[in-house]
Amino acid sequence: MEAQKIIKYLDKKFSPKLAANWDNSGVQIYQKQLPNLLEPINKVLVCLDLNQKVVDYAVEHHFELIITRHPLVFSSLVVENKQKKSIFAKLKTNNILVFSIHTNYDASPNQNLLKIVGEKLPILKNRRFGQDNEGYYLRLKQAVKLPDFIKALQAIFPNSSMQMNLIADGQGFVEEFYLIPGAGGSALTSLKLTNTLLVTGEAKWNELVSADDFNNGVILLGHYMEEYFVGDLVSLLTNAFERELIVEGFDIKNQLINVEGRK
């Protein structure tokens, strides 16, 4: 199957028009010569981020296309090449195409975040929010105790690195909350949130300080919370091209470990 057929399918599901202006979703240009989208693709590897382990696995097992959540190249190739020279070289030598689906995935109605949350926390109402529609406001069908809410989050986002601020810890029940994948702490100030609960991956210290000033609870799961992307893309591509592609996910693992209780 030609690469452009796969990309056309993914662009229909996760339109590039939904991507944020600062984002670099799509075909990743990591060499001067533009990639040939007419190249045949038989094996696709899906991952959260592209690192040396992913590339080595792709080379060893003969994958022609890698789909990532986070772009391989965010700024200019000249700058990034200094840090990722080895990765670029291996991709070029082995003729591996890289395609990223980032903020256009978050903003698309075809991603599965609502589904996996709703399986553990039944949702009454939801609406999009954020400059790029990257987040959800969610109201639950029934308020749940905070310990049960935390258990549900741990089941939805397994192996996440959970932390919370004191205000979140003081909540007895949770009936509504804001959910933003990745680094969504800026929503606390950009949306002027007050007296609410935000669940996201990461937040800066000044954003947490601001949360305290405006009585906002914050639960941080770490950026690895976005690992659900991998299973979603593997399922979509397998169902769409069952007889034409071999699709596999690669887990880069949570890059942070819990040190509590270690000696």
Side-chain angles (χ1 to χ4, degrees), residues 6 10 20 23 64 90 99 108 117 131 172 176 180 199 240 251:
I6 302 170
L10 292 173
D23 196 11
E64 301 100 349
K90 288 180 182 179
F99 186 81
S108 171
V117 171
Q131 182 177 354
E176 59 183 6
I180 309 177
V199 178
D251 186 355

Side-chain angles (χ1 to χ4, degrees), residues 56-254:
D56 289 343
Y57 185 86
V59 171
E60 180 182 357
H61 296 276
H62 310 291
F63 286 89
E64 301 100 349
L65 171 62
I66 300 175
I67 297 174
T68 73
R69 175 83 161 93
H70 300 120
L72 170 64
V73 180
F74 256 114
S75 56
S76 71
L77 183 59
V78 174
V79 175
E80 301 254 8
N81 194 35
K82 295 178 181 179
Q83 299 176 338
K84 301 177 180 179
K85 185 176 180 180
S86 177
I87 288 179
F88 293 158
K90 288 180 182 179
L91 292 171
K92 181 179 179 180
T93 299
N94 293 278
N95 198 30
I96 298 176
L97 181 67
V98 181
F99 186 81
S100 299
I101 313 171
H102 192 209
T103 52
N104 51 321
Y105 178 82
D106 290 328
S108 171
N110 295 314
Q111 50 106 332
N112 72 341
L113 183 56
L114 269 187
K115 177 183 177 182
I116 63 174
V117 171
E119 289 173 351
K120 300 295 182 182
L121 294 166
I123 299 168
L124 177 63
K125 295 180 181 179
N126 77 85
R127 61 176 169 80
R128 289 283 194 169
F129 77 95
Q131 182 177 354
D132 300 302
N133 285 325
E134 69 274 19
Y136 282 104
Y137 162 79
L138 301 174
R139 186 174 183 87
L140 303 178
K141 290 183 178 179
Q142 184 175 350
V144 297
K145 294 180 180 179
L146 180 63
D148 294 330
F149 183 74
I150 290 173
K151 289 180 181 178
L153 290 179
Q154 290 171 331
I156 297 166
F157 308 104
N159 302 316
S160 59
S161 305
M162 186 178 295
Q163 296 176 297
M164 70 176 73
N165 68 354
L166 294 174
I167 295 173
D169 189 39
Q171 295 194 8
F173 287 84
V174 176
E175 187 173 10
E176 59 183 6
F177 62 101
Y178 290 81
L179 176 63
I180 309 177
S186 61
L188 290 163
T189 52
S190 65
L191 299 179
K192 299 180 181 180
L193 299 181
T194 58
N195 304 308
T196 192
L197 176 64
L198 172 68
V199 178
T200 188
E202 299 169 2
K204 297 178 181 178
W205 177 253
N206 66 296
E207 293 164 349
L208 293 173
V209 172
S210 175
D212 184 75
D213 286 339
F214 293 95
N215 198 42
N216 288 315
V218 181
I219 296 179
L220 303 177
L221 303 176
H223 229 99
Y224 187 72
M225 70 177 291
E226 295 182 334
E227 180 65 13
Y228 64 89
F229 164 87
V230 176
D232 189 20
L233 265 291
V234 169
S235 178
L236 284 173
L237 290 173
T238 299
N239 291 334
F241 305 107
E242 183 178 2
R243 298 180 181 180
E244 301 169 272
L245 287 179
I246 295 173
V247 186
E248 186 177 330
F250 188 100
D251 186 355
I252 66 169
K253 308 296 183 183
N254 195 339

